[in-house]
Each structure stands twice: as C-alpha cells, then as structure tokens.
C-alpha cells in the first residue's frame, strides 16, 4: 500500500487518493450478491447481505493484519434467473452481467492495482464469474480470483438436508438471523428438501454430474434446504469461520505467483499461439 488511510472502502477515497493508495500488489475485492426469492422466511437481499457483510468484515480484518486489501461496493443485481418465476426476484441476463464485470475490470486495470477478487454470495453467478476471471486475465493482464462468501457449503449442511441445503436453508437462515434477525420469520419457514435427488450417485449439485435447473423444478416451495432448525448462534459461528477463512485466503492471494518466480511470460498473461493450458 502506498498511502495510509482509515478506510478500506475504495469508493470512499478521492480519485487521487485511490491512485496513491493502490499499487501492483494491492488486492481489490468486488462482492457479488443477488436480490432474489428466498422462500417466505428470508429477505430478498439474503445473498447480497451475506456477501457484503462477510467481505467487509474480512477486508477490515485483513487490513488490520497489514494486508494491502481494498473493497468495492457490492453488486446487488446479478444472474438470478433460476428464480425468475418467484415474486421479488430482480435479475439481469448473463451477457449484461458479463459485460458489467468486464467493464469494471477494464476500469480497475486503469489503476495501479493488478489483483481482483470476486467475492461471491450467489451460486447462480459461479459459472459466469469463472469465465470472467479468464476474460479479465487475458484482456487486461489482471490477476483474477473467485471465492465464495462463506466456507465451503459441505461444511455447513443442516442435519436433515442430505447435502441439498443450497438455498434459504439451515446455513443461510442462520447467517441472516445473526446479521439481521428482524428480517427472518421462522414462523413461516418450512423444510424443502428434494430427497429423491440424494438417491442419484453421480448427479447432483456437488457431484461429478451437474445439471441445469430452475428453483421451481423440485416440487418444493422454491427453497432448497431445511431452515426450521436455524439459529443465530450457529450463524455467528459460521460468520466468524467465513471471515477467518477469507482473511487467510486474502493472504495467499496477496503473495500468489502463478509462474512460481520463473518470470511473467508474455504481456497481458497471453501464451504463444498453439500453446495449451
């Protein structure tokens, strides 16, 4: 970091201050959430709230450890069309989101910073952001990374979720109870676990074979999980673990060198014609 400032929110700096604060080793974090249906018991802003809250806490904690980490405002409207049928879902198309993140990457490339982290809180964004990481690497020479807003999903399934608690279930409901308890209404929460999917050995959300789906495909109320046992204490534990894990990841990103010190290759991250990867 080239300048000392009390904020880690890049948008709170003036342009001149940002140029002075950022350097080639600065890590810039861009959280991505969603505004979408999360059953009758959770707010539409669930994914946005979790991504924004964990990212800001992690950036502050990382900065306190001396890491050169900065955060951009969280993107709220993303690729949520799997919930297109449900009231309140606000979604944009894949090409609109891709163009948005590519243009933001182009803007970041005009600063001294060279490392961009997508800090994602919505599963529907994953495939697109993976493609965007390579696009930004190739076109602008940025080092790009994609990480989840919480510790890996398999680490926090609810006891009755059969590995299918991916949306508005035990973990997300507990997190929102911790962060904004007044937004949770457990009196209308119901388990919505498509147990028949657990019978497939190879096909599933976290198995070798994935599949295209909409959230109303499963004869449920549009959620996937069991929120009925959620509680704020578990949400606090999950939040703390997610922040701690993110800080450790930021430390690795700060020192990451794909070439292992062997040199940078061709400009902009390009490889010679005919090379494979």
């Amino acid at each position: 970091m080239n300048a000392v400032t009390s904020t880690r929110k890049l948008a709170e700096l003036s342009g001149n201050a940002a140029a002075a604060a950022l350097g080639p080793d600065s890590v810039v974090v861009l959280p991505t959430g969603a505004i979408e249906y999360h059953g009758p018991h959770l707010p539409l802003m669930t994914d946005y709230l979790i991504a924004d809250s964990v990212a800001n806490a992690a950036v502050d904690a990382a900065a306190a450890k001396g890491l050169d980490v900065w955060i951009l405002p969280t993107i709220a409207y993303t690729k949520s069309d799997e919930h297109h049928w449900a009231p309140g879902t606000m979604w944009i198309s894949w090409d609109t989101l891709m163009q948005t993140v590519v243009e933001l990457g182009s803007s970041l490339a005009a600063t001294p910073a060279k490392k961009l982290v997508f800090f994602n809180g919505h599963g529907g964004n994953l495939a697109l952001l993976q493609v965007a990481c390579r696009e930004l690497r190739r076109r602008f020479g940025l080092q790009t990374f994609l990480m989840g807003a919480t510790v890996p999903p398999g680490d926090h399934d609810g006891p009755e979720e059969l590995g299918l608690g991916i949306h508005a279930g035990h973990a997300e409901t507990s997190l929102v109870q911790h962060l904004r308890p007044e937004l949770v209404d457990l009196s209308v929460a119901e388990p919505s676990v498509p147990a028949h999917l657990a019978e497939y050995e190879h096909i599933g959300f976290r198995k070798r074979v994935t599949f295209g789906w909409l959230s109303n495909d499963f004869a449920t109320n549009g959620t996937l999980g069991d929120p009925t046992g959620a509680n704020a204490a578990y949400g606090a534990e999950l939040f703390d673990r997610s922040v701690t894990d993110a800080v450790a990841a930021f430390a690795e990103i700060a020192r990451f060198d794909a070439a292992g010190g062997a040199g940078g290759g061709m400009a902009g991250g390009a490889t010679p014609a005919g090379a494979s990867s």
Side-chain angles (χ1 to χ4, degrees), residues 134-167:
R134 179 164 290 178
E135 187 77 2
L136 294 171
R137 177 74 188 128
R138 177 181 62 83
R139 290 178 60 175
F140 308 118
L142 295 172
Q143 284 188 300
T144 49
F145 305 85
L146 171 59
M147 61 186 290
T150 63
V151 290
D155 291 353
H156 52 72
D157 276 339
E160 306 298 330
E161 292 186 318
L162 305 176
L164 301 170
I166 67 167
H167 184 73

Side-chain angles (χ1 to χ4, degrees), residues 238-264:
L238 181 54
F239 181 84
D240 290 343
R241 282 199 290 138
S242 297
V243 170
T244 299
D245 190 71
V247 172
F250 290 155
E252 286 195 357
I253 289 169
R255 62 180 175 82
F256 182 77
D257 177 7

Side-chain angles (χ1 to χ4, degrees), residues 75-166:
I75 298 178
Y77 306 110
T78 58
K79 191 180 182 298
S80 295
D81 53 329
E82 68 270 38
H83 308 290
H84 73 283
W85 59 273
T89 299
M90 307 292 292
W91 60 279
I92 59 177
S93 64
W94 70 268
D95 46 342
T96 298
L97 181 57
M98 179 64 77
Q99 189 69 17
T100 297
V101 296
V102 167
E103 290 180 359
L104 291 175
S106 174
S107 299
L108 183 65
T111 78
K114 299 303 176 189
K115 295 191 176 190
L116 174 63
V117 181
F118 293 111
F119 197 95
N120 182 54
H122 170 53
N125 295 332
L126 283 172
L128 182 143
L129 291 176
Q130 287 171 337
V131 174
C133 279
R134 179 164 290 178
E135 187 77 2
L136 294 171
R137 177 74 188 128
R138 177 181 62 83
R139 290 178 60 175
F140 308 118
L142 295 172
Q143 284 188 300
T144 49
F145 305 85
L146 171 59
M147 61 186 290
T150 63
V151 290
D155 291 353
H156 52 72
D157 276 339
E160 306 298 330
E161 292 186 318
L162 305 176
L164 301 170
I166 67 167

Side-chain angles (χ1 to χ4, degrees), residues 177-219:
Q177 283 180 302
H178 166 60
L179 294 168
R180 293 287 302 277
E182 76 279 10
L183 300 181
V184 182
D185 184 1
L186 279 185
S187 71
V188 295
E190 297 178 352
S192 298
V193 179
H196 62 281
L197 293 181
E199 299 172 2
Y200 292 92
E201 179 180 358
H202 300 290
I203 305 171
F205 298 118
R206 302 168 189 154
K207 295 180 180 178
R208 184 173 184 177
V209 181
T210 59
F211 59 100
W213 57 272
L214 303 174
S215 61
N216 60 341
D217 281 344
F218 308 109

Side-chain angles (χ1 to χ4, degrees), residues 26-93:
S26 298
V27 176
V28 178
V29 177
L30 177 58
T32 52
I35 305 297
E36 64 183 23
Y37 184 72
H38 272 77
H41 62 290
L42 286 181
L44 297 168
M45 69 180 293
T46 291
D47 289 349
Y48 174 91
L49 173 65
I50 293 171
D52 184 74
S53 300
V54 177
N56 275 280
V59 166
D60 286 345
K65 289 180 175 290
L67 294 176
D68 184 9
V69 182
W70 301 85
I71 191 165
L72 289 166
T74 301
I75 298 178
Y77 306 110
T78 58
K79 191 180 182 298
S80 295
D81 53 329
E82 68 270 38
H83 308 290
H84 73 283
W85 59 273
T89 299
M90 307 292 292
W91 60 279
I92 59 177
S93 64

